Amino acid sequence: MAPRLTSGSIELQRVVITGMGTVNPLGNDVATTWNAILKGSSGIAPIEGFPVDDFSVKFAGQLKGFDPLTVMEKKQVRQLDPYLHFAMAAAVEAMEDSRFEVTEEESERTGVLVGSGIAGLLTMLKNCETLLTKGPMKISPFFVPSSIANMASGLISIRFGARGPNSCVVTACTTGTHAIGDAMRIIQRGDADVMIAGGSEAPVNPIGLAGFATMRALSTRNDDPERASRPFDKGRDGFVCSEGAGVVVLESLGHALARGARIHAEIVGYGMSGDAHHMTAPPADGVGAQLSMRRAIEDGDLAPSDIDYINAHGTSTEYNDKIETYAIRQVLGEHAYKLAVSSTKSMIGHTLGGAGGIEAIFTALTVRDGKIPPTINLTDPDPDCDLDYVPNEMREAPVRVALSNSFGFGGTNGTLAIARYDEQ
């Protein structure tokens, strides 16, 4: 089940994950988060940090005990948007986990591709308030650099001295998945040996919460926040807005082996597609989701029967869950009923542009450890959602190959195929 190594006449590099880092509502590092995921814990709670009396939604997934001063100086913390704090924290952990040092010799072959769906939303809000109340001359000189989506990649490259490819993607809830997939392509074609890739988002603030709430996209289960995110359940009523980041270190297999790196998993396939249907709603036949999954499977030279697990997009919205289920059935046929599917958003909520990076980490850990995360709060399954969603309790089982799905506003879709690393 190794990936294809050629594309036409070009030999492609195998790409492996050697470092992982995250901050999210369940933990400020990978180990803490994974332990909580396997216990089926919820990171959703009433909102702290700003008043929500006038909001229809009063809960979210917020980081707990996170201190940006552990990765940035006080001056930088004041100047930069929270999405940049999160991105840097995840990148620092991922690099420490990889045990890779960007030397002068390595710098031009090390790149960064960390994106965000919305980027510096709180910074935009604060500076708009300043403009209206104090005038244009009081706008912060850091407003623009702290708001733009590519600044996460920029600051991470500065931090580690990475002079290789430096870019970002901005594809709504698919951002993290596209960032990792695109970084994989950069390594495959030989433009870098190492890429720091993922996504970050900080939408839990007044403007972010109000925007999604007025769309009626969010759960309003204010009396029971921990049970609000309930993918595939008949009682689901919307997603839970959350913040966080997930970043991985990718390397060509040859580079990783040459330096004796610890390999967590291998990315063997990547698919992307567009729905060409609607700004925010998926088509009823999930054609874009189907195409994304098919392309990831084909890219990895896999058969549908090779897939043991899917980390679903699984947002806990009425349409996504049943349409994603339908798409999985269409792509995998009868095998869809033989594999495990779960939504880790049931525990951390939806971190938007950060979701793909965080969920790629969960998927890599699943294939590495043989422990499948549960879908919590699944007590009354929707009849249209009839697959094995690993309800409420973690399951131990060998997982050779897994898919990680992300689907975003604008009809943008991405799927990663992640496999247990084979030394042969």
Side-chain angles (χ1 to χ4, degrees), residues 283-369:
D285 59 1
V287 63
Q290 290 186 47
L291 184 56
S292 180
M293 286 187 278
R294 284 198 177 100
R295 285 178 167 167
I297 291 168
E298 292 169 1
D299 186 53
D301 199 20
L302 301 163
S305 59
D306 291 326
I307 309 304
D308 297 316
Y309 168 66
I310 298 176
N311 188 297
H313 188 53
T315 56
S316 186
T317 57
E318 178 184 357
Y319 293 113
N320 174 88
D321 294 1
K322 65 182 180 181
I323 291 172
E324 184 174 13
T325 295
Y326 178 80
I328 291 170
R329 291 199 304 256
Q330 292 299 110
V331 171
L332 299 181
E334 285 302 312
H335 184 65
Y337 294 96
K338 300 176 184 177
L339 54 78
V341 179
S342 68
S343 172
T344 43
K345 289 185 179 73
S346 63
M347 292 170 275
I348 68 168
H350 194 352
T351 55
L352 309 179
I358 296 169
E359 289 160 14
I361 291 171
F362 295 157
T363 307
L365 290 168
T366 299
V367 300
R368 188 193 73 182
D369 296 350

Side-chain angles (χ1 to χ4, degrees), residues 242-275:
S242 296
E243 60 191 14
V247 173
V248 296
V249 175
L250 304 181
E251 296 185 52
S252 70
L253 177 60
H255 186 274
L257 292 177
R259 70 178 189 88
R262 175 185 54 184
I263 295 173
H264 294 296
E266 181 173 2
I267 303 183
V268 298
Y270 172 43
M272 56 195 305
S273 69
D275 290 341

Side-chain angles (χ1 to χ4, degrees), residues 132-379:
L132 294 175
T133 59
K134 298 181 180 180
M137 298 309 294
K138 295 297 184 178
I139 293 292
S140 168
F142 294 98
F143 166 49
V144 172
S146 184
S147 300
I148 55 179
N150 72 301
M151 192 51 66
S153 289
L155 291 175
I156 292 167
S157 72
I158 293 167
R159 173 68 173 260
F160 295 105
R163 296 193 182 96
N166 184 296
S167 185
C168 84
V169 295
V170 182
T171 48
C173 306
T174 316
T175 294
T177 293
H178 281 160
I180 293 171
D182 291 352
M184 168 197 177
R185 293 284 188 245
I186 288 171
I187 294 173
Q188 278 186 328
R189 65 179 181 248
D191 289 342
D193 296 319
V194 181
M195 292 292 295
I196 306 165
S200 180
E201 204 78 87
V204 185
N205 53 61
I207 191 69
L209 188 68
F212 285 112
T214 56
M215 290 178 65
R216 298 185 178 179
L218 300 180
S219 170
T220 57
R221 200 180 289 258
N222 292 309
D223 59 341
D224 198 6
E226 290 189 358
R227 294 177 176 82
S229 185
R230 43 197 320 112
F232 311 111
D233 191 86
K234 192 174 181 179
R236 66 191 184 277
D237 69 328
F239 75 84
V240 175
C241 187
S242 296
E243 60 191 14
V247 173
V248 296
V249 175
L250 304 181
E251 296 185 52
S252 70
L253 177 60
H255 186 274
L257 292 177
R259 70 178 189 88
R262 175 185 54 184
I263 295 173
H264 294 296
E266 181 173 2
I267 303 183
V268 298
Y270 172 43
M272 56 195 305
S273 69
D275 290 341
H277 173 70
H278 187 271
M279 288 175 66
T280 58
D285 59 1
V287 63
Q290 290 186 47
L291 184 56
S292 180
M293 286 187 278
R294 284 198 177 100
R295 285 178 167 167
I297 291 168
E298 292 169 1
D299 186 53
D301 199 20
L302 301 163
S305 59
D306 291 326
I307 309 304
D308 297 316
Y309 168 66
I310 298 176
N311 188 297
H313 188 53
T315 56
S316 186
T317 57
E318 178 184 357
Y319 293 113
N320 174 88
D321 294 1
K322 65 182 180 181
I323 291 172
E324 184 174 13
T325 295
Y326 178 80
I328 291 170
R329 291 199 304 256
Q330 292 299 110
V331 171
L332 299 181
E334 285 302 312
H335 184 65
Y337 294 96
K338 300 176 184 177
L339 54 78
V341 179
S342 68
S343 172
T344 43
K345 289 185 179 73
S346 63
M347 292 170 275
I348 68 168
H350 194 352
T351 55
L352 309 179
I358 296 169
E359 289 160 14
I361 291 171
F362 295 157
T363 307
L365 290 168
T366 299
V367 300
R368 188 193 73 182
D369 296 350
K371 296 180 178 180
I372 301 175
T375 303
I376 68 168
N377 302 323
L378 182 52
T379 58

